[in-house]
């Protein structure tokens, strides 16, 4: 796919690739490389939240794939947030959008837990547990996810197992 060829050579050119597919010049990519590149996508005139609101397809379709792929040292949710200002962080943008009802909070809680069960490296897994906690799940929301927390107790990443134990203790 042409989009993947472009991103393979220049992953930071996601803005150009998105313009080309919005203009109908190329098909929208659906690859891991595309989703990783989106994780690092920014417009310096807009906050990340504003950028996402201006690109509903990312919020409605692409966002959920971010929780299925680990990314790499440069392009992952954890790596991007580590070096981003708060108004450019995925954590802040997703928490704000969930709080405002612009993305599904329950789906976001579930996606963060699913990501923790995928065997991501500690640095990237910790991002997902931190997002989950910044959403401040209620006791009812935690209780509904007791089985997922229980499964995470056996996770080989110590911070993930510890996160799960704390969630169960909160219930």
């Amino acid at each position: 796919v042409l989009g993947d060829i472009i991103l393979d050579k220049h992953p930071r050119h996601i803005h150009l690739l998105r313009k080309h597919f919005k203009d109908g010049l190329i098909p929208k990519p659906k690859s891991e490389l595309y989703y990783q590149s989106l994780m690092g996508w920014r417009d310096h005139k807009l906050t990340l939240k504003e950028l996402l609101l201006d690109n509903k397809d990312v919020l409605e379709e692409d966002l959920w794939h971010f929780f299925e792929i680990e990314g790499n040292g440069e392009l992952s949710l954890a790596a991007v947030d580590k070096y981003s200002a708060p108004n450019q962080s995925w954590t802040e943008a997703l928490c704000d959008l969930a709080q405002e009802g612009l993305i599904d909070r329950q789906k976001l809680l579930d996606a963060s837990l699913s990501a923790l069960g995928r065997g991501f490296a500690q640095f990237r897994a910790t991002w997902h547990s931190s997002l989950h906690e910044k959403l401040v799940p209620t006791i009812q929301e935690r209780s509904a996810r007791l089985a997922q927390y229980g499964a995470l107790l056996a996770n080989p990443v110590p911070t993930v197992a510890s996160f799960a134990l704390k969630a169960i203790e909160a219930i």
Side-chain angles (χ1 to χ4, degrees):
V1 173
L2 180 59
D4 287 334
I5 293 169
I6 294 168
L7 291 175
D8 189 46
K9 295 197 179 296
H10 306 285
R12 298 286 184 185
H13 289 167
I14 187 72
H15 59 286
L16 294 174
L17 182 107
R18 285 190 51 78
K19 181 183 179 333
H20 290 329
F21 93 73
K22 282 184 167 189
D23 291 345
L25 299 174
I26 61 172
K28 182 176 181 176
K30 301 279 186 197
S31 67
E32 187 169 315
L33 181 59
Y34 171 68
Y35 299 122
Q36 282 179 261
S37 295
L38 275 179
M39 290 175 189
W41 180 43
R42 296 293 181 276
D43 180 327
H44 297 292
K45 298 174 197 157
L46 303 172
T47 67
L48 180 56
K49 178 181 166 185
E50 292 167 339
L51 183 63
L52 293 170
L53 289 172
D54 283 351
N55 292 272
K56 296 281 189 192
D57 66 302
V58 175
L59 277 180
E60 295 167 3
E61 303 165 22
D62 302 326
L63 170 65
W64 306 108
H65 294 285
F66 294 1
F67 295 88
E68 298 170 356
I69 60 172
E70 184 171 11
N72 59 39
E74 186 178 333
L75 292 173
S76 70
L77 295 168
V80 169
D81 269 12
K82 181 177 180 176
Y83 299 106
S84 294
N87 71 352
Q88 294 295 340
S89 96
W90 283 101
T91 302
E92 183 175 299
L94 295 177
C95 287
D96 286 354
L97 292 166
Q99 182 179 12
E100 295 169 18
L102 298 171
I103 58 174
D104 186 333
R105 174 186 165 78
Q106 300 307 312
K107 189 172 181 179
L108 193 54
L109 287 167
D110 290 336
S112 63
L113 289 177
S114 292
L116 289 170
R118 296 186 190 281
F120 296 167
Q122 182 167 332
F123 173 67
R124 291 182 278 280
T126 299
W127 183 91
H128 292 281
S129 62
S130 294
L131 171 67
H132 190 84
E133 289 306 302
K134 286 185 182 183
L135 290 166
V136 191
T138 65
I139 295 301
Q140 293 79 14
E141 289 172 325
R142 287 192 193 279
S143 295
R145 292 166 176 81
L146 182 59
Q148 290 103 314
Y149 293 128
L152 292 173
L153 289 172
N155 195 290
V157 176
T159 56
V160 173
S162 176
F163 154 81
L165 182 58
K166 288 176 185 170
I168 292 169
E169 287 172 344
I171 296 169

